[in-house]
Amino acid sequence: MPADASILPHLQRLEAESIHIFREAAAETERPVLLYSMGKDSAVLLHLARKAFHPAPPPFPLLHVDTGWKFRAMYEMRERAAAAAGIELIVHRNPEAEARGINPFDHGPLHTDLWKTQGLKQALDSHGFDAALGGARRDEEKSRAKERVFSFRSAGHRWDPKKQRPELWRLYNARKAPGESFRIFPLSNWTEFDVWQYIERERIAVVPLYFAAPRPTVERDGLILMVDDDRMRLPPGEAPVERWIRFRTLGCYPLTGAVESRAASVAEILAEMRSATTSERRGRAIDRDQAASMEKKKQEGYF
Amino acid sequence: MVTGASTADLAVILLDARKGVLTQTRRHAYLARLIGIRDVVIAVNKMDAVGHEEAVFRAIDGEVREFAAQIGLTSVAAIPVSALNGDNVAARSEAMPWYKGPTLLDLLETIEPQAAAPAQAPFRMPVQWVNRTTDFRGFSGTVAGGSVRPGDAVRILPSGRSTRIGRIAGFDGDLAEAAAGQAITVTLADEVDCSRGDMIAAADDPPGTADQFEATLVWMDEEPMLPGRSYWLKIGAATVAATVTGLKYQVNVNTLEHIAAKTLELNGIGVANLALDRPIVFAPYEENRDLGGFILIDRISNATAGAGMIHFALRRAHNVHWQHLEVNRAAHAALKGQTPRVIWFTGLSGAGKSTIANLVEKKLHAAGRHTFLLDGDNVRHGLSRDLGFTDADRVENVRRVGEVARLMADAGLIVLCAFISPFRAERRMVRAMMPAGEFIEVFVDTPLEEAEQRDTKGLYRKARRGELANFTGIDSPYEPPENAEIRIDTTALSAEAAADLIIEALSR
Ligand SMILES: Nc1nc2c(ncn2[C@@H]2O[C@H](COP(=O)(O)OP(=O)(O)O)[C@@H](O)[C@H]2O)c(=O)[nH]1
């Protein structure tokens, strides 16, 4: 294939499918928004959105549902990426969570529920977004394996398994009544490995925390956490330990486990992945909280 | 199964060596064939349980070949495996030295995946999105067949306008060529009309357009498919209104027999004729999945109710062109000095539809208007004599009445229709047949208790005694209108007052 000869046919197929989904989403919904969380999947998603609508900018804004507890490097990436794409960036912070000082140390699962799940619903409702494009992939974990590309949400953002629509060929049914909405996942058929290969080939900028480096860390419940700022709670006498680490997924820093690694480039990450088989979401404290509860989180509207 | 198969290149069907070919094996092979999967691998599992006997495998292999030929599957391979120890899955089996063919994994690796869209074909691209900036007007879509280069002569369908490809605008610079499967954006050399749902195609070999088809339907909704009901049909980037005009037969997927049927239930598969409200660009599904595969969407629940695969266009669509009549609709109406209308009275049996419609007609007639009243009495005995009161028959009855009313309105008449017409979907279908503003829905709103108490024809009593089946309001549903132009509350208004109110609304 002439101009894109450097792309593997496999990646090219995935890319074309995602672009197709973006265009369907833009054409068939009234007010779509791209959920942007600064991670590698968001980076790929944003890149594909730009490709889909080039030379025009993507016909939707970016939305970041913030918790105030992301890694500092992620906030830097957020401003840069939005500016580069020429897209409006909306940042939403749940005022209730803010007022009540909800944080990952004292509030456990409530932190995720209030900041992320409720925060997302508030943001979608207050702006009248009827379609939220996100970077979830089917390979991430079991409950997502059967998720649709156009995932239907009843009024109130409820995910009802009986209302999900069969998806045949490249035909997506985006019809809905007022108050109903869609979550749309253009990366559904990508694997973590595909994402990294694509980042490599397209030279997409990602947060440096994905690459191994010596960083200050502590251990909590078997997770290696990075001490990203002085809000990390250390008992008297504990000092952070420097370890070579990188992250496979990025979230709130006190809840996101690192892996020990020396992989400092995309090529080295790919090499490491070829010999590993664990799920990237293993590093997330929220998923381990209630292992079988992802299904429940989805029904409640967590992404 | 059908959903997953629609995007698959290959199917692996697992069967148990102890049990051999089961009904389920046949069904899955048939569905794979139906959806167009070329390569089917039959993994004959649990060979350890039959002592790794060659004879057992040979017998199954023979049976597989026979029914594969029967359903027209051309590339079928059977492999004896034992998942227990991985025999012939990834590694060759020492227990089955008599098997000389490839292992399952070997076979999967040698089979060339089918391209989703055919590369060696004339160029086709359904337009998904019009990309506009102040100085750019491009058309985005996924190439569904062939390839394209700047300068190529193309035709925009269904309008048929010709132009040439300008640029193929890529993110990292323009492309010199784009091929089937790629998602691209092209510009056109001329300012021609082109929007979402149109197709850009090779000028010298454009695809067909038609508004009537024969297709295989696979039903996926709890609500059964009803011929005559209007559905949304989505194909490529186009969405049009469609009705099933006739179900030719249903297929028993276990025996492959054709059986006569009027409707399709959940998971039913059949062959049907469809009519659309406007022409679409298409190719037979066998030639091109993207141009021949469609979904049907329920217009009320918005559920994806069914999927279909186009066989061919029905000749009528090509040949029966609408006669461009010299004496047209406007001429008929002008001679009568009135605006044609269809006034549609809906409500429960005994609500007062016919009484009110009669009064309205008398008043209009007295005012010198040209009218005609259609109701159960003059329709059920002739035009719809062959229909009963099942859901399917009610839908067909309303469709016929709608078509007749439309022709009468074309003749310039004010047509009054008094029918229970219990389903929103059909009332909406008739509304869609008429020019905007010419369909007036009158909801004769009488509560069931009230209608039952009046019971002028004694029907409710009969229904309650179980002597009338499918009686609206008793054992058959009534869906009240949500946006009727006029609502008559018969508990508050006399029939006279109701008729005056309708005349008054008409003159506005
Ligand atoms: N079995 C059955 N017969 C009905 C039903 N509704 C009406 N009928 C009979 O069919 C005749 C014409 O029905 P139709 O034109 O649809 O309704 P109408 O204009 O409200 O009387 C009625 O006069 C009844 O004899 C029903 O729900 N079930």
Side-chain angles (χ1 to χ4, degrees):
Chain A
M1 233 116 283
D4 279 324
S6 63
I7 301 187
L8 294 169
H10 171 65
L11 282 184
Q12 197 179 0
R13 276 212 300 272
L14 288 172
E15 180 190 63
E17 179 187 63
S18 301
I19 289 176
H20 184 85
I21 293 165
F22 266 117
R23 290 169 176 169
E24 284 300 293
E28 298 231 324
T29 65
E30 276 148 50
R31 199 157 152 64
V33 66
L34 180 61
L35 299 180
Y36 180 73
S37 65
M38 296 88 83
K40 62 184 190 307
D41 303 308
S42 287
V44 167
L45 207 56
L46 178 56
H47 184 79
L48 288 164
R50 295 175 67 188
K51 278 197 160 186
F53 301 102
H54 177 83
F60 37 73
L62 295 183
L63 170 65
H64 178 222
V65 179
D66 196 10
T67 63
W69 288 92
K70 303 293 166 187
F71 292 89
R72 279 173 299 158
M74 293 170 72
Y75 291 112
E76 286 157 26
M77 174 58 80
R78 185 175 76 185
E79 308 308 320
R80 247 184 299 142
I87 315 189
E88 180 198 358
L89 168 72
I90 298 168
V91 175
H92 180 81
R93 294 166 59 103
N94 180 351
E96 187 199 346
E98 186 116 60
R100 292 170 58 185
I102 302 298
N103 68 71
F105 298 112
D106 302 318
H107 302 105
L110 193 63
H111 171 78
T112 306
D113 180 57
L114 277 186
W115 281 112
K116 295 181 74 173
T117 309
Q118 305 307 326
L120 175 61
K121 291 186 202 172
Q122 287 169 354
L124 296 179
D125 290 342
S126 66
H127 292 272
F129 294 125
D130 63 343
L133 291 140
R137 305 187 317 266
R138 288 179 175 140
D139 79 322
E140 280 177 63
E141 45 99 35
K142 266 210 182 102
S143 79
R144 290 193 175 175
K146 286 190 171 174
E147 180 62 293
R148 302 294 194 271
V149 174
F150 277 57
S151 175
F152 178 80
R153 302 301 156 109
S154 315
H157 306 276
R158 298 264 336 160
W159 180 82
D160 178 351
K162 289 192 294 292
K163 289 204 168 162
Q164 301 309 315
R165 299 166 178 176
E167 294 181 333
L168 294 102
W169 304 295
R170 297 178 205 188
L171 295 173
Y172 302 103
N173 171 4
R175 302 194 81 90
K176 58 176 164 49
E180 296 170 345
S181 62
F182 285 95
R183 303 286 162 86
I184 302 173
F185 305 112
L187 302 183
S188 285
N189 292 331
W190 295 55
T191 63
E192 186 185 8
F193 198 77
D194 296 327
V195 167
W196 280 115
Q197 276 191 307
Y198 191 69
I199 287 172
E200 170 96 321
R201 274 166 203 280
E202 299 284 301
R203 295 183 296 278
I204 299 170
V206 293
V207 177
L209 294 167
Y210 284 112
F211 305 113
R215 297 189 168 103
T217 66
V218 293
E219 265 196 75
R220 295 285 184 271
D221 298 329
L223 291 183
I224 302 175
L225 301 182
M226 174 176 157
V227 182
D228 194 46
D229 62 32
D230 54 18
R231 291 179 296 172
M232 179 61 108
R233 296 191 186 164
L234 303 176
E238 185 184 20
V241 181
E242 194 175 272
R243 288 185 173 91
W244 272 84
I245 54 161
R246 67 178 177 89
F247 292 87
R248 287 179 69 183
T249 172
L250 293 175
C252 294
Y253 83 78
L255 296 174
T256 308
V259 292
E260 292 200 77
S261 164
R262 289 269 171 176
S265 67
V266 180
E268 286 169 16
I269 289 174
L270 287 169
E272 232 180 55
M273 286 184 64
R274 280 195 190 92
S275 53
T277 53
T278 53
S279 155
E280 69 197 275
R281 299 193 69 86
R282 237 181 47 146
R284 291 218 179 168
I286 91 146
D287 295 357
R288 304 201 316 176
D289 264 356
Q290 303 155 297
S293 70
M294 211 58 186
E295 198 77 14
K296 185 164 156 273
K297 288 203 167 61
K298 189 159 72 179
Q299 296 194 2
E300 287 164 356
Y302 174 76
F303 221 66
Chain B
M1 155 90 199
V2 172
T3 307
S6 75
T7 49
D9 293 322
L10 173 146
V12 179
I13 298 174
L14 213 60
L15 66 79
D16 185 332
R18 294 169 308 180
K19 298 187 178 144
V21 174
L22 298 179
T23 303
Q24 172 178 282
T25 319
R26 292 172 190 276
R27 183 185 333 140
H28 287 161
Y30 171 72
L31 292 176
R33 164 75 183 92
L34 188 73
I35 215 82
I37 292 180
R38 199 186 46 190
D39 296 293
V40 174
V41 180
I42 310 268
V44 181
N45 192 25
K46 304 194 183 170
M47 284 300 292
D48 57 289
V50 294
H52 300 109
E53 277 293 334
E54 176 170 8
V56 174
F57 174 72
R58 289 288 160 234
I60 294 174
D61 185 45
E63 209 181 331
V64 163
R65 277 175 206 291
E66 200 179 313
F67 86 76
Q70 221 177 55
I71 59 179
L73 270 174
T74 49
S75 170
V76 192
I79 305 181
V81 302
S82 169
L84 185 66
N85 306 308
D87 289 64
N88 286 337
V89 178
R92 216 144 250 300
S93 168
E94 283 170 22
M96 292 179 275
W98 46 264
Y99 176 71
K100 304 280 189 284
T103 63
L104 182 56
L105 210 64
D106 285 342
L107 191 72
L108 294 185
E109 277 169 0
T110 52
I111 289 175
E112 275 287 308
Q114 274 163 285
Q120 304 304 325
F123 174 65
R124 273 111 183 74
M125 187 190 90
V127 176
Q128 250 190 307
W129 177 257
V130 179
N131 187 325
R132 269 175 194 285
T133 68
T134 43
D135 55 358
F136 182 85
R137 182 168 172 260
F139 304 90
S140 304
T142 303
V143 181
S147 58
V148 66
R149 294 167 157 276
D152 281 357
V154 291
R155 206 179 284 257
I156 314 301
L157 297 162
S159 76
R161 292 286 195 73
S162 313
T163 179
R164 287 181 180 280
I165 298 288
R167 301 162 45 201
I168 307 174
F171 191 66
D172 306 303
D174 285 0
L175 306 185
E177 185 178 16
Q182 274 182 286
I184 59 170
T185 298
V186 299
T187 65
L188 298 175
D190 307 288
E191 276 274 328
V192 291
D193 270 350
C194 183
S195 51
R196 177 172 165 87
D198 289 346
M199 173 121 43
I200 304 179
D204 55 1
D205 193 356
T209 61
D211 60 4
Q212 298 197 43
F213 298 97
E214 184 190 281
T216 296
L217 291 184
V218 179
W219 206 248
M220 304 177 148
D221 200 9
E222 303 275 349
E223 270 287 299
M225 183 279 284
L226 295 181
R229 174 164 284 186
S230 175
Y231 297 95
W232 292 117
L233 180 151
K234 183 171 181 184
I235 182 167
T239 301
V240 301
T243 55
V244 174
T245 50
L247 185 61
K248 298 190 155 172
Y249 57 84
Q250 181 170 0
V251 178
N252 177 329
V253 288
N254 297 328
T255 61
L256 308 185
E257 275 173 318
H258 295 181
I259 37 190
K262 275 198 159 181
T263 69
L264 286 178
E265 307 277 336
L266 179 66
N267 294 327
I269 295 180
V271 170
N273 286 347
L274 285 98
L276 319 186
D277 69 340
R278 57 204 157 88
I280 53 160
V281 189
F282 78 101
Y285 183 80
E286 289 269 320
E287 263 170 45
N288 192 314
R289 289 191 192 192
D290 285 331
L291 305 190
F294 60 84
I295 54 172
L296 292 175
I297 301 171
D298 186 293
R299 293 179 72 151
I300 293 188
S301 71
N302 287 326
T304 299
M309 289 151 278
I310 292 180
H311 301 171
F312 46 76
L314 297 175
R315 288 244 170 265
R316 273 171 287 162
H318 289 299
N319 298 338
V320 184
H321 287 294
W322 288 107
Q323 293 289 331
H324 197 77
L325 299 171
E326 293 292 305
V327 182
N328 59 16
R329 195 171 195 278
H332 287 301
L335 191 63
K336 296 184 178 65
Q338 62 186 30
T339 308
R341 290 246 159 74
V342 170
I343 306 172
W344 192 277
F345 295 80
T346 173
L348 294 172
S349 177
K353 300 180 296 294
S354 299
T355 316
I356 298 172
N358 262 302
L359 278 172
V360 172
E361 186 175 36
K362 274 190 196 142
K363 287 173 192 270
L364 287 172
H365 188 79
R369 298 296 173 207
H370 300 264
T371 61
F372 197 83
L373 174 66
L374 290 168
D375 67 10
D377 291 339
N378 60 17
V379 168
R380 283 278 182 192
H381 297 303
L383 182 66
S384 296
R385 188 169 49 196
D386 55 327
L387 299 177
F389 291 93
T390 61
D391 286 1
D393 282 356
R394 284 177 189 271
V395 166
E396 174 60 13
N397 184 41
V398 171
R399 188 194 69 79
R400 289 183 194 176
V401 169
E403 291 289 359
V404 170
R406 190 241 301 256
L407 290 174
M408 288 186 167
D410 281 351
L413 297 177
I414 295 171
V415 193
L416 300 108
C417 302
F419 294 91
I420 299 176
S421 46
F423 303 126
R424 272 179 213 128
E426 281 64 57
R427 297 193 300 262
R428 192 183 311 197
M429 170 181 77
V430 180
R431 178 186 292 273
M433 291 176 189
M434 299 294 300
E438 290 189 16
F439 181 85
I440 312 251
E441 190 169 356
V442 180
F443 178 24
V444 182
D445 191 359
T446 304
L448 180 62
E449 311 76 68
E450 174 70 22
E452 188 162 0
Q453 208 194 322
R454 291 183 199 158
D455 207 7
T456 37
K457 300 181 203 162
L459 292 173
Y460 284 94
R461 249 173 297 133
K462 275 192 178 174
R464 288 289 182 198
R465 285 202 303 263
E467 291 164 20
L468 274 184
N470 301 326
F471 195 80
T472 302
I474 309 292
D475 58 350
S476 182
Y478 179 78
E479 300 170 356
E482 284 168 340
N483 296 303
E485 275 77 5
I486 302 173
R487 177 179 160 268
I488 304 289
D489 177 354
T490 63
T491 59
L493 281 184
S494 70
E496 272 292 330
D500 288 338
L501 189 125
I502 293 166
I503 305 267
E504 153 75 19
L506 283 179
S507 56
R508 259 186 311 221

